[in-house]
Amino acid sequence: MGNRVTRDDFEWVYTDQPHTERRKEILAKYPEIKKLMGPDPQLKWVVTLMVLTQLVACYLVKDLPWKWVFFWAYAFGGCLNHSMTLAIHDISHNVAFGNKEAKWNRLFGMFANLPIGVPYATSFKKYHVDHHRYLAGDGLDVDIPTAFEGRFFHSPPRKILWLFLQPVFYILRPLYVNPKPVTGLEVINVAVQLAYDLLIYSLWGPKPIFYMIAGSTLAMGIHPISGHFIAEHYMYLKGYDTFSYYGPLNWLTFNVGYHMEHHDFPSIPGSKLPLVKKIAAEYYDHLPYHTSWVCVLWDFVFCESLGPFARVKRKYKVAKAE
């Protein structure tokens, strides 16, 4: 339990991210993939059902003992809310209403945000663009841990603590690594979320609020679904900075496991990413992939070569203001 991580820095590379070139090659060979781009007509209905389900759940937990509120927050609400964050991820790529209706996608993201309890959908969109455009970019991609995280969370107990604190770092890291001005839409997102939380509190008291926020926080920490945070870009094999996961939890997470395919074609909805892999199989079948997010978490904690420093990092010749 005391073994320290052997890495003392990120894996610096001096090549472009591989997704841009692979996208060009695949589209040249399989132009029909372009037909998969565009809105997913089912997404808005699935998300609406999820929001309503969590609204009913808030009513059902209002009179439960606190221990059962905690249990259902982790076992049910957390699963649904983590799934909702991945719906918001899809919505951030404008696949709810299409690229021509960007405003409606942003507003729908705020609606999807309601059961999570904490406003974040609009801010996520603002930073997620950079994650794709400048993948692993130093000072640009806020998905990469800071040097402090890499140095401090170096042993199994500390890595477990780091996993618990994932939601905190995802909130604070952008403010330190790549701060950006607050936008009007972010203010609206905060106002809408606070109004919803106050409404729930006034109707049913504090337990539904705890259920929403605790579920979101717990499910983004030590939770089977949260394995995707680590699986997507941590360097489980040298030379690769994106990995896919082909397992059953994709059914609950809008196919976020098809992450190699997603970075190749971010404008294709998650529901259609398996078709990308099927059509262009020779581009993906030979690539390393994960089959279990639980195993990903276990290996991350106990493998000496893995930790917050186990990320590819690259320099981009751009200014942050761009």
Side-chain angles (χ1 to χ4, degrees):
M1 286 291 290
N3 292 338
R4 286 171 169 257
V5 173
T6 55
R7 300 191 61 90
D8 60 2
D9 197 2
F10 300 102
E11 182 77 8
W12 289 91
V13 298
Y14 303 94
T15 56
D16 292 334
Q17 59 165 298
H19 302 287
T20 305
E21 189 60 33
R22 184 164 52 238
R23 181 187 309 122
K24 292 178 181 178
E25 291 184 19
I26 292 175
L27 287 177
K29 190 172 183 179
Y30 300 106
E32 63 269 27
I33 283 181
K34 291 181 180 179
K35 296 179 182 179
L36 302 177
M37 300 175 183
D40 177 354
Q42 302 301 320
L43 181 61
K44 55 183 174 292
W45 305 116
V46 173
V47 168
T48 299
L49 179 61
M50 292 170 68
V51 171
L52 294 176
T53 298
Q54 284 293 66
L55 182 62
V56 172
C58 284
Y59 171 78
L60 293 176
V61 303
K62 67 183 178 67
D63 295 320
L64 290 179
W66 280 104
K67 65 178 180 180
W68 287 110
V69 177
F70 183 89
F71 171 80
W72 288 114
Y74 184 83
F76 180 76
C79 294
L80 208 59
N81 278 3
H82 198 135
S83 179
M84 187 68 85
T85 67
L86 298 169
I88 290 171
H89 165 256
D90 248 17
I91 295 166
S92 76
H93 288 284
N94 294 333
V95 300
F97 295 95
N99 287 321
K100 294 182 179 180
E101 301 291 347
K103 180 179 72 173
W104 286 108
N105 285 287
R106 300 293 77 74
L107 294 175
F108 191 63
M110 296 180 199
F111 172 72
N113 197 150
L114 294 177
I116 294 170
V118 178
Y120 97 102
T122 306
S123 299
F124 173 80
K125 163 66 177 178
K126 181 172 69 176
Y127 283 101
H128 192 62
V129 171
D130 288 343
H131 172 62
H132 279 269
R133 185 178 298 159
Y134 308 119
L135 180 64
D138 182 37
L140 295 164
D141 184 357
V142 298
D143 187 63
I144 297 178
T146 61
F148 163 77
E149 293 169 68
R151 287 192 298 268
F152 185 80
F153 298 100
H154 54 66
S155 64
R158 292 190 184 189
K159 285 193 278 186
I160 290 173
L161 176 62
W162 184 79
L163 291 174
F164 270 115
L165 294 176
Q166 279 277 16
V168 176
F169 286 115
Y170 266 87
I171 292 170
L172 297 181
R173 195 185 297 138
L175 304 178
Y176 171 75
V177 174
N178 189 12
K180 296 185 178 185
V182 175
T183 67
L185 282 175
E186 286 178 290
V187 174
I188 295 173
N189 192 175
V190 171
V192 169
Q193 189 64 54
L194 288 178
Y196 181 79
D197 291 350
L198 287 171
L199 175 63
I200 295 296
Y201 180 82
S202 65
L203 290 173
W204 301 319
K207 290 180 179 178
I209 300 297
F210 177 86
Y211 166 81
M212 290 192 297
I213 297 177
S216 301
T217 304
L218 292 168
M220 292 179 71
I222 301 290
H223 194 281
I225 295 178
S226 73
H228 81 87
F229 285 129
I230 307 300
E232 291 166 359
H233 297 293
Y234 282 78
M235 199 173 58
Y236 278 70
L237 187 63
K238 188 177 178 65
Y240 293 89
D241 58 345
T242 306
F243 294 82
S244 284
Y245 154 82
Y246 304 125
L249 289 179
N250 277 312
W251 286 87
L252 301 177
T253 56
F254 298 89
N255 284 330
V256 75
Y258 287 79
H259 216 67
M260 190 77 75
E261 296 84 349
H262 169 64
H263 271 265
D264 287 351
F265 299 99
S267 59
I268 293 179
S271 61
K272 297 178 181 178
L273 289 176
L275 292 175
V276 174
K277 184 178 185 299
K278 182 178 180 180
I279 293 170
E282 71 270 27
Y283 285 92
Y284 298 107
D285 287 349
H286 70 285
L287 297 175
Y289 60 90
H290 297 289
T291 57
S292 169
W293 281 336
V294 173
C295 289
V296 163
L297 292 173
W298 179 272
D299 290 343
F300 180 82
V301 170
F302 295 108
C303 181
E304 293 182 9
S305 64
L306 294 171
F309 270 142
R311 290 289 298 262
V312 166
K313 210 169 186 184
R314 49 175 64 90
K315 294 278 189 180
Y316 283 88
K317 295 179 181 180
V318 293
K320 286 187 179 181
E322 294 179 7

